[in-house]
Amino acid sequence: MVNRLTCKLEAFGPLPEADRFLLDEVIRSAQAVGPRTDLIREGQTPSDVNLILEGFACRYKVLPTGRRQIMAYLVPGDFCDLHVFILKTMDHGIATLSACTVVKISRARILELMERPAIAKAFWWAALVDEATLREWLVNVGARKAEQRVAHLLCELLLRLRTVGLTTGNQYELPITQAELADTVGLTGVHVNRILQRLRADGLITLRSKNLVILDEERLKAFSNFNPNYLHLAEQDGLPEQCL
Amino acid sequence: MVNRLTCKLEAFGPLPEADRFLLDEVIRSAQAVGPRTDLIREGQTPSDVNLILEGFACRYKVLPTGRRQIMAYLVPGDFCDLHVFILKTMDHGIATLSACTVVKISRARILELMERPAIAKAFWWAALVDEATLREWLVNVGARKAEQRVAHLLCELLLRLRTVGLTTGNQYELPITQAELADTVGLTGVHVNRILQRLRADGLITLRSKNLVILDEERLKAFSNFNPNYLHLAEQDGLPEQCL
DNA sequence: CGGCAACTTGACAATGCTCAACGCGGGTGG
DNA sequence: CCACCCGCGTTGAGCATTGTCAAGTTGCCG
C-alpha cells in the first residue's frame, strides 16, 4: 500500500530514499478511529501529532448558538497539528468525519524527522499550504456565492486527493454528509441539497452514495473560478508522478 | 517610542534584555508607505519579510468578479510573511490600508534572529496565533450573522491593539473605510453601514472619523460571542504589562 | 422487516444585496 | 478664501438569495 504521507510530501519535491524509508517507519503504528469521533477537543493540550492515513477528518468550532463551522478537511497525508507544541491549549477541535486510520506521532519523533533537511522543508511546505488553503476557504465563504462555494470545494478536493492517489480519473470518495458540507461552506443543509441538485442538473457532477464524479473538470473549475495556485503544487520544475 | 514588535512578542513571554536590544536594532530602517499601496502582489516572489510598525495593512485576494476578500489585518507588530521563503510565489497580495511605516527585514536577518531561542519561540507563537486568527475569521464569516461579525471583529482588534499599546481605555484608531470593513466580513458596504448604525443605536460603540470607542466592552463581547482564547494571550503564568 | 439517519421537497420568512440618489467633509486649485 | 470635487457615509425601495420549518422519501444497517 502506498504511503500517503510520502506521496503528499513529494508533491513538493522528491525525497531521498532514506527519508522515504524513515517515513514508512513512522507510519507503522496506525490505529482505527470510528466516524464522528473527536481526536482532540477544544481546550485540551495536545501531546502527540495526529496524521491521517485513511478517511476524512476536520478542524471545527462550535458556537454557543449550536452552529458548527468546519475550518479544514484533513485527508490522507495531512497532519492535524504539526507545531502546536508551542501553544498550550487547542482553540478548536479535531474530529473524524468518516472512519479513519490515524497515526499518533510523538513530539520527539517529529523533532527527529525535522533533522532531515528534505523532510523538514517538506513539513514546512505542508504547513504553509494548509494555511493557504485556510485563506482560500475564507475567500470561498466570504466572497463566492453559494453554488460556486460548493463547486470550488469539490475542485480543491479533486486536486488534493489526486496528489495522494485517491482519485480514479475525475472521481473520488467523498465520505461526508450534506449537513457537514453545509457546515463547511457556511450554508444550510437544505440549501446545499438544492445546490447539489443544480450542479447535477447542469451536468457538472454526479454524487451518489458518497461517490463523486466530476463530469467536466474544466467547466467546473471555470464555473467556480478555481485557481489552484494556493495549493502550491507545481512550483518545482519536475513533478514527481509516482502517486498517479 | 515603544517597540511594537517587542510589545507583541512579550505578550507570549518575557524576552531577555539582549533580545529586546536586538529587536530594537532591526527596526531602525523603517520606511513610510502611503495608504492603499501594495507591499507584495499576488504572483510575486517575496524576498524580504515586511513588518508593520504603524498603520493598518491587510492580506487580500481579488476574484475575477471584482469582489475583494480581506483575509487578515496586519497591525503594528505584525509580520506580513514570516516564512514564505519556502513557497515560490505569493498566492495573495498584501497592501496597506492606511498610511503605514514598514520595515523590510532580509531573510538572513530573520535567520539570525531565529538563532535566539526566546525570539524563535516567540516568532513561532506569533505565526500560530496568526493562523488561529485566520480560523476565527472563517468562523466569523461562515457562522455568525452580520451584526455579530462586525462586533466580533471590533472586539478582536481591541485586544490585539491593546497588547501593542495602541488603545486608550476602550478606544482605538480604526483607519479603515466601511467598504474595507465590508470586504473583511463578507458583506456589502451598504449593509455594514446599517449594522454600524444599529451598534451605535444599541449603545455598544461610537465611531466617528476613524475613532472607535467601545462603550460597553462586556456587552459587546457577549453580543458577539467573543472568546479570546484563539489569541493565546493568557497562556503564560505571568503576563508582562509594560505595554499597557 | 424495522428503524434511523440522510436526503428531498414545498411554502414562507428573513437576511442581505442592488441600484440609485443624496449629503457631508476634507482637500485642492483658482 | 471660496468653490468645486471626490471619496465616503447615509438612506430608501425593491429584489434575490438563503434560512426556517415541517413533512415526506429514500436507503442503508441490524
Side-chain angles (χ1 to χ4, degrees):
Chain A
M1 175 176 176
V2 207
N3 179 336
R4 306 291 178 199
L5 175 59
T6 308
C7 255
K8 179 183 170 181
L9 295 182
E10 292 207 310
F12 173 62
L15 293 174
E17 187 64 38
D19 286 5
R20 273 193 247 154
F21 183 76
L22 212 65
L23 292 175
D24 284 341
E25 280 303 310
V26 168
I27 281 184
R28 289 219 196 286
S29 58
Q31 50 184 285
V33 180
R36 266 146 274 219
T37 306
D38 275 314
L39 295 175
I40 314 175
R41 247 182 279 267
E42 181 170 347
Q44 289 185 324
T45 302
S47 50
D48 297 331
V49 171
N50 288 294
L51 169 67
I52 306 292
L53 289 182
E54 291 182 287
F56 272 47
C58 70
R59 295 176 198 287
Y60 73 95
K61 271 187 191 179
V62 180
L63 298 189
T65 64
R67 175 93 175 71
R68 173 179 66 167
Q69 177 68 42
I70 291 177
M71 302 174 299
Y73 285 162
L74 302 164
V75 304
D78 286 344
F79 286 108
C80 294
D81 28 40
L82 192 45
H83 19 40
V84 270
F85 297 135
I86 293 175
L87 299 181
K88 294 278 190 309
T89 67
M90 290 293 290
D91 55 45
H92 63 278
I94 296 179
T96 60
L97 293 167
S98 69
C100 288
T101 71
V102 178
V103 191
K104 287 198 176 300
I105 308 177
S106 71
R107 172 175 186 155
R109 200 97 166 104
I110 292 286
L111 293 176
E112 190 182 314
L113 289 171
M114 290 290 263
E115 280 170 15
R116 302 292 197 129
I119 288 182
K121 215 174 168 195
F123 277 15
W124 271 107
W125 167 80
L128 294 177
V129 169
D130 283 354
E131 202 178 325
T133 303
L134 184 54
R135 281 193 295 265
E136 188 63 38
W137 281 33
L138 179 58
V139 173
N140 208 30
V141 170
R144 272 186 267 264
K145 44 183 61 168
E147 212 164 339
Q148 310 188 314
R149 284 186 211 175
V150 176
H152 192 279
L153 180 62
L154 298 179
C155 287
E156 176 186 308
L157 285 174
L158 179 67
L159 291 210
R160 286 174 61 184
L161 294 174
R162 197 176 266 163
T163 70
V164 290
L166 284 173
T167 58
T168 61
N170 287 345
Q171 164 192 353
Y172 56 87
E173 292 300 311
L174 185 65
I176 285 194
T177 71
Q178 293 183 3
E180 286 159 347
L181 251 179
D183 285 347
T184 306
V185 292
L187 297 169
T188 312
V190 173
H191 202 229
V192 164
N193 180 289
R194 298 199 227 258
I195 282 164
L196 286 174
Q197 293 183 49
R198 235 179 296 164
L199 292 177
R200 283 191 269 240
D202 293 349
L204 289 169
I205 66 164
T206 276
L207 176 55
R208 254 185 31 240
S209 58
K210 316 282 183 200
N211 190 323
L212 180 85
V213 184
I214 293 179
L215 298 172
D216 188 338
E217 183 173 342
E218 287 320 308
R219 205 148 63 84
L220 193 67
K221 284 180 177 171
F223 173 71
S224 62
N225 271 316
F226 185 77
N227 178 344
N229 67 348
Y230 69 97
L231 295 172
H232 296 274
L233 291 173
E235 302 203 323
Q236 307 308 107
D237 312 292
L239 281 185
E241 302 284 335
Q242 60 268 59
C243 290
L244 310 182
Chain B
M1 175 174 177
V2 209
N3 179 337
R4 306 292 177 198
L5 175 59
T6 308
C7 255
K8 178 181 170 182
L9 295 181
E10 292 207 311
F12 172 62
L15 293 174
E17 186 64 37
D19 286 4
R20 272 193 248 152
F21 183 76
L22 212 63
L23 292 175
D24 284 340
E25 280 302 311
V26 167
I27 279 183
R28 287 217 197 286
S29 58
Q31 50 184 285
V33 180
R36 265 145 276 216
T37 305
D38 274 314
L39 294 175
I40 314 175
R41 247 180 280 267
E42 181 169 348
Q44 289 185 324
T45 303
S47 49
D48 297 331
V49 170
N50 288 294
L51 169 66
I52 306 292
L53 289 183
E54 293 182 285
F56 272 47
C58 70
R59 295 177 197 288
Y60 72 95
K61 271 188 191 178
V62 180
L63 298 189
T65 64
R67 175 95 174 68
R68 172 180 67 168
Q69 177 68 42
I70 291 177
M71 302 174 300
Y73 284 162
L74 303 164
V75 303
D78 287 343
F79 286 107
C80 293
D81 28 39
L82 193 45
H83 20 39
V84 269
F85 298 136
I86 294 175
L87 300 180
K88 294 279 190 308
T89 66
M90 289 292 291
D91 54 43
H92 64 277
I94 297 179
T96 59
L97 292 167
S98 68
C100 288
T101 71
V102 177
V103 190
K104 287 198 176 300
I105 308 177
S106 71
R107 171 173 187 157
R109 199 96 165 108
I110 292 287
L111 292 175
E112 189 183 312
L113 288 172
M114 289 290 263
E115 279 169 15
R116 303 291 197 129
I119 288 182
K121 216 173 168 195
F123 277 14
W124 271 108
W125 167 80
L128 293 176
V129 168
D130 283 354
E131 201 177 327
T133 304
L134 184 55
R135 281 193 295 267
E136 188 62 39
W137 280 33
L138 179 59
V139 173
N140 208 29
V141 170
R144 272 187 268 263
K145 46 183 61 169
E147 211 163 340
Q148 310 186 316
R149 284 186 210 175
V150 176
H152 191 279
L153 180 61
L154 298 181
C155 287
E156 177 186 307
L157 286 175
L158 179 66
L159 292 210
R160 286 174 61 185
L161 293 175
R162 197 176 266 163
T163 70
V164 290
L166 285 173
T167 57
T168 59
N170 287 346
Q171 164 192 355
Y172 56 86
E173 292 300 310
L174 185 65
I176 285 193
T177 71
Q178 293 184 2
E180 287 159 347
L181 250 179
D183 285 346
T184 306
V185 292
L187 297 168
T188 311
V190 172
H191 202 229
V192 164
N193 180 289
R194 296 191 163 119
I195 284 164
L196 287 174
Q197 293 182 51
R198 234 178 298 163
L199 292 177
R200 284 191 269 241
D202 292 349
L204 290 169
I205 65 165
T206 276
L207 177 55
R208 256 183 31 239
S209 57
K210 315 286 183 197
N211 191 323
L212 181 85
V213 184
I214 293 179
L215 297 172
D216 188 337
E217 183 173 344
E218 287 319 309
R219 206 148 62 85
L220 192 67
K221 284 180 177 172
F223 173 71
S224 61
N225 271 315
F226 185 77
N227 178 344
N229 67 349
Y230 70 96
L231 295 172
H232 295 276
L233 291 173
E235 302 203 323
Q236 306 308 109
D237 314 289
L239 278 187
E241 301 284 334
Q242 60 268 59
C243 291
L244 308 183

Short mmCIF file of all heavy atoms in Angstrom, two decimals, chain B residues 97-140:
data_model
loop_
_atom_site.label_atom_id
_atom_site.label_comp_id
_atom_site.label_asym_id
_atom_site.label_seq_id
_atom_site.Cartn_x
_atom_site.Cartn_y
_atom_site.Cartn_z
N LEU B 97 -3.63 49.65 4.17
CA LEU B 97 -4.96 50.25 4.18
C LEU B 97 -4.79 51.74 4.48
O LEU B 97 -5.10 52.59 3.66
CB LEU B 97 -5.84 49.56 5.22
CG LEU B 97 -6.19 48.09 4.89
CD1 LEU B 97 -6.77 47.37 6.07
CD2 LEU B 97 -7.13 48.03 3.70
N SER B 98 -4.27 52.03 5.65
CA SER B 98 -3.92 53.41 5.97
C SER B 98 -2.48 53.66 5.55
O SER B 98 -1.81 52.78 5.03
CB SER B 98 -4.05 53.61 7.47
OG SER B 98 -3.05 52.86 8.14
N ALA B 99 -2.00 54.85 5.80
CA ALA B 99 -0.56 55.10 5.68
C ALA B 99 0.14 54.27 6.75
O ALA B 99 -0.37 54.12 7.85
CB ALA B 99 -0.28 56.58 5.89
N CYS B 100 1.29 53.72 6.39
CA CYS B 100 2.00 52.83 7.30
C CYS B 100 3.46 53.18 7.38
O CYS B 100 4.00 53.84 6.48
CB CYS B 100 1.91 51.38 6.81
SG CYS B 100 0.29 50.62 6.99
N THR B 101 4.10 52.74 8.44
CA THR B 101 5.55 52.62 8.38
C THR B 101 5.89 51.15 8.50
O THR B 101 5.31 50.42 9.31
CB THR B 101 6.26 53.44 9.48
OG1 THR B 101 6.04 52.82 10.73
CG2 THR B 101 5.76 54.85 9.55
N VAL B 102 6.81 50.75 7.66
CA VAL B 102 7.09 49.34 7.45
C VAL B 102 8.59 49.13 7.51
O VAL B 102 9.35 50.00 7.10
CB VAL B 102 6.56 48.91 6.06
CG1 VAL B 102 6.88 47.46 5.78
CG2 VAL B 102 5.07 49.15 5.96
N VAL B 103 9.00 48.00 8.02
CA VAL B 103 10.42 47.63 7.95
C VAL B 103 10.54 46.41 7.06
O VAL B 103 9.78 45.46 7.20
CB VAL B 103 10.98 47.24 9.33
CG1 VAL B 103 12.49 47.11 9.26
CG2 VAL B 103 10.58 48.22 10.38
N LYS B 104 11.50 46.46 6.16
CA LYS B 104 11.80 45.28 5.36
C LYS B 104 12.98 44.57 6.01
O LYS B 104 14.03 45.16 6.23
CB LYS B 104 12.17 45.68 3.93
CG LYS B 104 10.97 46.14 3.13
CD LYS B 104 11.27 46.09 1.64
CE LYS B 104 10.02 46.45 0.84
NZ LYS B 104 8.89 45.53 1.09
N ILE B 105 12.78 43.30 6.34
CA ILE B 105 13.84 42.55 7.00
C ILE B 105 14.31 41.45 6.07
O ILE B 105 13.48 40.70 5.53
CB ILE B 105 13.31 41.94 8.32
CG1 ILE B 105 12.65 43.04 9.17
CG2 ILE B 105 14.44 41.27 9.08
CD1 ILE B 105 12.04 42.54 10.44
N SER B 106 15.59 41.35 5.89
CA SER B 106 16.12 40.37 4.94
C SER B 106 16.00 38.97 5.52
O SER B 106 15.94 38.77 6.73
CB SER B 106 17.58 40.66 4.65
OG SER B 106 18.35 40.35 5.79
N ARG B 107 16.00 38.02 4.65
CA ARG B 107 15.94 36.63 5.05
C ARG B 107 17.08 36.29 6.01
O ARG B 107 16.89 35.61 7.02
CB ARG B 107 16.05 35.77 3.79
CG ARG B 107 16.22 34.33 4.10
CD ARG B 107 16.15 33.50 2.84
NE ARG B 107 16.16 32.10 3.24
CZ ARG B 107 15.71 31.11 2.50
NH1 ARG B 107 15.18 31.37 1.34
NH2 ARG B 107 15.76 29.88 2.93
N ALA B 108 18.28 36.79 5.68
CA ALA B 108 19.44 36.49 6.52
C ALA B 108 19.22 37.00 7.95
O ALA B 108 19.51 36.32 8.93
CB ALA B 108 20.69 37.14 5.92
N ARG B 109 18.68 38.20 8.01
CA ARG B 109 18.44 38.82 9.32
C ARG B 109 17.45 37.99 10.13
O ARG B 109 17.61 37.81 11.34
CB ARG B 109 17.85 40.22 9.07
CG ARG B 109 17.98 41.13 10.23
CD ARG B 109 19.22 41.99 10.08
NE ARG B 109 19.20 43.12 11.00
CZ ARG B 109 19.97 43.21 12.07
NH1 ARG B 109 20.84 42.26 12.33
NH2 ARG B 109 19.90 44.26 12.86
N ILE B 110 16.43 37.51 9.47
CA ILE B 110 15.42 36.68 10.17
C ILE B 110 16.08 35.42 10.72
O ILE B 110 15.88 35.05 11.88
CB ILE B 110 14.29 36.29 9.19
CG1 ILE B 110 13.46 37.52 8.80
CG2 ILE B 110 13.40 35.23 9.82
CD1 ILE B 110 12.56 38.04 9.90
N LEU B 111 16.89 34.79 9.88
CA LEU B 111 17.53 33.56 10.32
C LEU B 111 18.44 33.82 11.51
O LEU B 111 18.51 33.02 12.45
CB LEU B 111 18.33 32.96 9.16
CG LEU B 111 17.46 32.44 8.01
CD1 LEU B 111 18.32 31.96 6.85
CD2 LEU B 111 16.53 31.34 8.49
N GLU B 112 19.08 34.97 11.47
CA GLU B 112 19.94 35.39 12.56
C GLU B 112 19.13 35.52 13.86
O GLU B 112 19.51 35.01 14.92
CB GLU B 112 20.53 36.74 12.15
CG GLU B 112 21.63 37.31 13.00
CD GLU B 112 21.99 38.69 12.43
OE1 GLU B 112 22.17 38.80 11.18
OE2 GLU B 112 22.07 39.65 13.22
N LEU B 113 17.97 36.16 13.73
CA LEU B 113 17.10 36.33 14.90
C LEU B 113 16.61 34.98 15.42
O LEU B 113 16.48 34.77 16.62
CB LEU B 113 15.91 37.21 14.55
CG LEU B 113 16.20 38.69 14.33
CD1 LEU B 113 14.97 39.41 13.80
CD2 LEU B 113 16.67 39.33 15.63
N MET B 114 16.36 34.08 14.48
CA MET B 114 15.80 32.78 14.87
C MET B 114 16.79 31.94 15.66
O MET B 114 16.42 30.91 16.23
CB MET B 114 15.35 32.01 13.62
CG MET B 114 14.13 32.59 12.94
SD MET B 114 12.60 32.40 13.85
CE MET B 114 11.92 30.94 13.06
N GLU B 115 18.04 32.38 15.69
CA GLU B 115 19.01 31.64 16.49
C GLU B 115 18.89 31.94 17.97
O GLU B 115 19.39 31.19 18.81
CB GLU B 115 20.43 31.94 15.99
CG GLU B 115 20.77 31.11 14.77
CD GLU B 115 22.04 31.55 14.09
OE1 GLU B 115 22.81 32.32 14.72
OE2 GLU B 115 22.26 31.16 12.93
N ARG B 116 18.22 33.01 18.28
CA ARG B 116 17.93 33.32 19.68
C ARG B 116 16.72 32.50 20.10
O ARG B 116 15.63 32.72 19.58
CB ARG B 116 17.58 34.80 19.84
CG ARG B 116 18.65 35.73 19.35
CD ARG B 116 19.84 35.63 20.26
NE ARG B 116 20.74 36.74 20.12
CZ ARG B 116 21.18 37.47 21.15
NH1 ARG B 116 20.76 37.20 22.37
NH2 ARG B 116 22.03 38.44 20.96
N PRO B 117 16.87 31.61 21.03
CA PRO B 117 15.77 30.70 21.37
C PRO B 117 14.48 31.42 21.75
O PRO B 117 13.40 31.07 21.27
CB PRO B 117 16.33 29.91 22.55
CG PRO B 117 17.80 30.00 22.42
CD PRO B 117 18.10 31.32 21.79
N ALA B 118 14.60 32.44 22.57
CA ALA B 118 13.38 33.11 23.04
C ALA B 118 12.68 33.79 21.87
O ALA B 118 11.45 33.76 21.74
CB ALA B 118 13.72 34.12 24.12
N ILE B 119 13.46 34.40 20.99
CA ILE B 119 12.87 35.08 19.84
C ILE B 119 12.26 34.06 18.89
O ILE B 119 11.15 34.24 18.39
CB ILE B 119 13.93 35.93 19.10
CG1 ILE B 119 14.28 37.15 19.95
CG2 ILE B 119 13.44 36.34 17.73
CD1 ILE B 119 15.28 38.09 19.31
N ALA B 120 12.98 32.98 18.66
CA ALA B 120 12.46 31.96 17.76
C ALA B 120 11.12 31.44 18.25
O ALA B 120 10.16 31.33 17.48
CB ALA B 120 13.47 30.81 17.65
N LYS B 121 11.05 31.19 19.55
CA LYS B 121 9.80 30.67 20.09
C LYS B 121 8.68 31.69 19.97
O LYS B 121 7.54 31.36 19.64
CB LYS B 121 10.02 30.29 21.57
CG LYS B 121 9.23 29.06 21.97
CD LYS B 121 9.57 28.59 23.38
CE LYS B 121 8.56 27.55 23.82
NZ LYS B 121 8.60 27.30 25.27
N ALA B 122 9.04 32.94 20.20
CA ALA B 122 8.02 33.99 20.10
C ALA B 122 7.55 34.15 18.65
O ALA B 122 6.38 34.37 18.39
CB ALA B 122 8.58 35.31 20.63
N PHE B 123 8.47 34.04 17.70
CA PHE B 123 8.09 34.11 16.29
C PHE B 123 7.13 32.98 15.95
O PHE B 123 6.14 33.18 15.26
CB PHE B 123 9.33 34.01 15.40
CG PHE B 123 10.07 35.31 15.21
CD1 PHE B 123 9.81 36.41 16.03
CD2 PHE B 123 11.03 35.44 14.23
CE1 PHE B 123 10.50 37.61 15.87
CE2 PHE B 123 11.72 36.63 14.04
CZ PHE B 123 11.46 37.71 14.87
N TRP B 124 7.44 31.82 16.45
CA TRP B 124 6.55 30.68 16.25
C TRP B 124 5.18 30.95 16.79
O TRP B 124 4.16 30.70 16.14
CB TRP B 124 7.12 29.45 16.95
CG TRP B 124 8.03 28.68 16.08
CD1 TRP B 124 9.38 28.60 16.17
CD2 TRP B 124 7.65 27.92 14.96
NE1 TRP B 124 9.85 27.83 15.17
CE2 TRP B 124 8.82 27.39 14.42
CE3 TRP B 124 6.42 27.64 14.36
CZ2 TRP B 124 8.80 26.59 13.29
CZ3 TRP B 124 6.41 26.85 13.24
CH2 TRP B 124 7.58 26.32 12.72
N TRP B 125 5.18 31.44 18.01
CA TRP B 125 3.91 31.75 18.64
C TRP B 125 3.13 32.74 17.79
O TRP B 125 1.93 32.55 17.52
CB TRP B 125 4.17 32.31 20.04
CG TRP B 125 2.98 32.94 20.67
CD1 TRP B 125 1.95 32.31 21.29
CD2 TRP B 125 2.69 34.34 20.72
NE1 TRP B 125 1.04 33.23 21.73
CE2 TRP B 125 1.46 34.48 21.39
CE3 TRP B 125 3.35 35.49 20.27
CZ2 TRP B 125 0.88 35.73 21.62
CZ3 TRP B 125 2.77 36.72 20.50
CH2 TRP B 125 1.56 36.84 21.17
N ALA B 126 3.79 33.77 17.32
CA ALA B 126 3.13 34.79 16.51
C ALA B 126 2.53 34.18 15.25
O ALA B 126 1.39 34.48 14.88
CB ALA B 126 4.12 35.90 16.15
N ALA B 127 3.27 33.29 14.63
CA ALA B 127 2.78 32.68 13.40
C ALA B 127 1.56 31.81 13.68
O ALA B 127 0.59 31.81 12.92
CB ALA B 127 3.89 31.85 12.76
N LEU B 128 1.61 31.08 14.80
CA LEU B 128 0.49 30.21 15.13
C LEU B 128 -0.75 31.02 15.51
O LEU B 128 -1.87 30.63 15.20
CB LEU B 128 0.88 29.25 16.26
CG LEU B 128 1.95 28.23 15.86
CD1 LEU B 128 2.33 27.39 17.06
CD2 LEU B 128 1.46 27.36 14.73
N VAL B 129 -0.52 32.14 16.17
CA VAL B 129 -1.66 32.99 16.52
C VAL B 129 -2.27 33.59 15.24
O VAL B 129 -3.48 33.69 15.12
CB VAL B 129 -1.22 34.09 17.50
CG1 VAL B 129 -2.32 35.14 17.64
CG2 VAL B 129 -0.90 33.49 18.85
N ASP B 130 -1.43 33.95 14.30
CA ASP B 130 -1.95 34.44 13.02
C ASP B 130 -2.87 33.40 12.39
O ASP B 130 -3.93 33.72 11.87
CB ASP B 130 -0.80 34.74 12.06
CG ASP B 130 -0.11 36.05 12.39
OD1 ASP B 130 -0.59 36.77 13.29
OD2 ASP B 130 0.92 36.36 11.76
N GLU B 131 -2.43 32.18 12.44
CA GLU B 131 -3.23 31.13 11.82
C GLU B 131 -4.54 30.92 12.59
O GLU B 131 -5.61 30.74 12.00
CB GLU B 131 -2.43 29.82 11.77
CG GLU B 131 -2.97 28.87 10.72
CD GLU B 131 -2.12 27.61 10.61
OE1 GLU B 131 -0.89 27.70 10.82
OE2 GLU B 131 -2.69 26.55 10.32
N ALA B 132 -4.44 30.97 13.91
CA ALA B 132 -5.64 30.81 14.72
C ALA B 132 -6.63 31.94 14.44
O ALA B 132 -7.84 31.74 14.40
CB ALA B 132 -5.27 30.78 16.20
N THR B 133 -6.08 33.13 14.23
CA THR B 133 -6.93 34.27 13.94
C THR B 133 -7.65 34.08 12.60
O THR B 133 -8.83 34.37 12.46
CB THR B 133 -6.08 35.56 13.91
OG1 THR B 133 -5.41 35.68 15.16
CG2 THR B 133 -6.94 36.78 13.66
N LEU B 134 -6.89 33.56 11.66
CA LEU B 134 -7.49 33.26 10.35
C LEU B 134 -8.64 32.28 10.50
O LEU B 134 -9.70 32.44 9.90
CB LEU B 134 -6.39 32.69 9.46
CG LEU B 134 -6.71 32.37 8.02
CD1 LEU B 134 -7.29 33.58 7.30
CD2 LEU B 134 -5.46 31.87 7.31
N ARG B 135 -8.44 31.26 11.31
CA ARG B 135 -9.52 30.30 11.54
C ARG B 135 -10.74 30.99 12.15
O ARG B 135 -11.87 30.75 11.74
CB ARG B 135 -9.05 29.18 12.47
CG ARG B 135 -8.22 28.11 11.78
CD ARG B 135 -8.05 26.89 12.68
NE ARG B 135 -7.31 27.18 13.88
CZ ARG B 135 -5.99 27.04 14.01
NH1 ARG B 135 -5.28 26.57 12.99
NH2 ARG B 135 -5.38 27.32 15.13
N GLU B 136 -10.48 31.86 13.10
CA GLU B 136 -11.60 32.54 13.75
C GLU B 136 -12.34 33.43 12.75
O GLU B 136 -13.56 33.56 12.81
CB GLU B 136 -11.11 33.37 14.92
CG GLU B 136 -12.21 33.97 15.77
CD GLU B 136 -13.09 32.92 16.43
OE1 GLU B 136 -12.56 31.89 16.87
OE2 GLU B 136 -14.32 33.13 16.48
N TRP B 137 -11.62 33.99 11.81
CA TRP B 137 -12.28 34.82 10.79
C TRP B 137 -13.16 33.95 9.90
O TRP B 137 -14.23 34.37 9.47
CB TRP B 137 -11.23 35.55 9.95
CG TRP B 137 -10.68 36.78 10.60
CD1 TRP B 137 -10.48 36.99 11.94
CD2 TRP B 137 -10.27 37.98 9.95
NE1 TRP B 137 -9.96 38.23 12.15
CE2 TRP B 137 -9.81 38.86 10.96
CE3 TRP B 137 -10.22 38.40 8.62
CZ2 TRP B 137 -9.33 40.14 10.67
CZ3 TRP B 137 -9.73 39.67 8.33
CH2 TRP B 137 -9.29 40.53 9.35
N LEU B 138 -12.71 32.75 9.64
CA LEU B 138 -13.55 31.84 8.85
C LEU B 138 -14.83 31.53 9.61
O LEU B 138 -15.93 31.54 9.04
CB LEU B 138 -12.79 30.55 8.54
CG LEU B 138 -13.56 29.50 7.75
CD1 LEU B 138 -14.03 30.03 6.41
CD2 LEU B 138 -12.72 28.24 7.55
N VAL B 139 -14.70 31.29 10.90
CA VAL B 139 -15.89 31.07 11.72
C VAL B 139 -16.78 32.31 11.67
O VAL B 139 -18.00 32.21 11.52
CB VAL B 139 -15.49 30.78 13.18
CG1 VAL B 139 -16.72 30.74 14.07
CG2 VAL B 139 -14.72 29.48 13.27
N ASN B 140 -16.16 33.45 11.78
CA ASN B 140 -16.90 34.70 11.81
C ASN B 140 -17.77 34.86 10.57
O ASN B 140 -18.96 35.11 10.64
CB ASN B 140 -15.90 35.86 11.91
CG ASN B 140 -16.47 37.08 12.59
OD1 ASN B 140 -17.36 36.97 13.44
ND2 ASN B 140 -15.99 38.24 12.22
#
